[in-house]
Amino acid sequence: MDTQDERKSSNVVWHEATVTRARREEANGHRSVILWFTGLSGAGKSTLAHALEEQLHCMGMRTFVFDGDNVRHGLCSDLGFSPADREENIRRIGEMSKLIIQAGVIALTAFISPFRSDRDRVRVLVPEGDFIEVYCRASLDACEARDVKGLYAKARKGEIKDFTGISSPYEEPDAPELIVDTGSQPLDLCVDQVIRYLQAHDVIHTAP
């Protein structure tokens, strides 16, 4: 937690709510966790996160997806893609995700989040077991072949600076909770793999 000297806002006191996370989880019928989807641009993070949310919603779960592009239209619209801005982008999403799971909701975040240190900073924000790192594994060649947004082509031409995988590094997770081969597996199998993980770790209990 930040010290008072590190915070710009002072004279603030944390207010303890009577409606707790545990009570919200009990009402929702499932645990709340952060599902942190990381991988290269074009690896299928957003596609998997939204397909998974659709499945969980149909199962009666309470969810919310933080999508990398969507967040940069609002909450993080003032940030670019320099290392410092990427770090701040992930810090904000981490803090938002922490609030979301306090609400008893499953937070699904789809961000390249290329640096291990940034992902680790989010991990330590929440109790052990609440941060589930899902590595959407797809090779650079596979992602570049997809290039659904045309970003790799622009990066190769030098039109986009600090582009992950081309002019900026991507640091693969050292020990993610889950590795999903989004570069080779069909989407429905990827969704099923995450669902099985959530069931095995008592996050959800309802069968699809």
Side-chain angles (χ1 to χ4, degrees):
M1 181 179 293
D2 291 339
T3 66
Q4 183 172 335
D5 290 339
E6 291 172 333
R7 291 196 302 262
K8 291 186 178 179
S9 56
S10 59
N11 301 316
V12 293
V13 178
W14 186 266
H15 186 87
E16 294 293 342
T18 58
V19 180
T20 64
R21 173 184 173 181
R23 291 176 66 187
R24 296 184 184 107
E25 287 179 327
E26 183 178 4
N28 292 341
H30 59 80
R31 284 179 53 211
S32 56
V33 294
I34 299 172
L35 285 166
W36 192 277
F37 297 89
T38 178
L40 291 169
S41 177
K45 301 177 298 299
S46 292
T47 300
L48 176 55
H50 284 285
L52 177 62
E53 183 184 40
E54 179 65 31
Q55 179 68 64
L56 291 173
H57 181 77
C58 290
M59 294 165 66
M61 310 298 160
R62 299 192 181 277
T63 60
F64 189 82
V65 175
F66 290 96
D67 181 89
D69 283 354
N70 291 356
V71 167
R72 283 183 175 273
H73 278 83
L75 178 65
C76 297
S77 60
D78 59 322
L79 300 176
F81 291 91
S82 67
D85 280 356
R86 287 178 183 272
E87 179 180 343
E88 174 60 13
N89 184 56
I90 298 306
R91 187 196 70 80
R92 294 181 191 180
I93 300 310
E95 292 289 350
M96 285 297 298
S97 299
K98 179 181 176 181
L99 293 174
I100 285 289
I101 64 170
Q102 286 297 320
V105 174
I106 297 172
L108 304 93
T109 74
F111 295 83
I112 295 173
S113 48
F115 305 125
R116 294 188 194 99
S117 59
D118 292 343
R119 300 192 299 265
D120 288 343
R121 271 191 286 271
V122 178
R123 182 184 291 274
V124 300
L125 285 175
V126 296
E128 185 175 354
D130 285 352
F131 181 90
I132 300 170
E133 189 173 31
V134 182
Y135 176 30
C136 295
R137 185 166 60 188
S139 68
L140 177 61
D141 288 343
C143 293
E144 196 164 359
R146 292 173 177 173
D147 203 13
V148 292
K149 300 175 184 177
L151 300 179
Y152 281 100
K154 291 182 178 180
R156 289 293 186 187
K157 294 176 183 177
E159 296 175 6
I160 302 178
K161 295 180 180 180
D162 299 316
F163 190 81
T164 303
I166 304 298
S167 52
S168 185
Y170 176 77
E171 298 172 356
E172 294 185 358
D174 286 328
E177 280 70 20
L178 195 58
I179 298 175
V180 182
D181 285 312
T182 52
S184 59
Q185 285 192 151
L187 178 60
D188 59 340
L189 292 184
C190 294
V191 171
D192 287 346
Q193 184 180 349
V194 183
I195 291 287
R196 289 195 303 272
Y197 179 93
L198 296 176
Q199 291 171 328
H201 291 80
D202 294 322
V203 176
I204 63 175
H205 305 286
T206 306

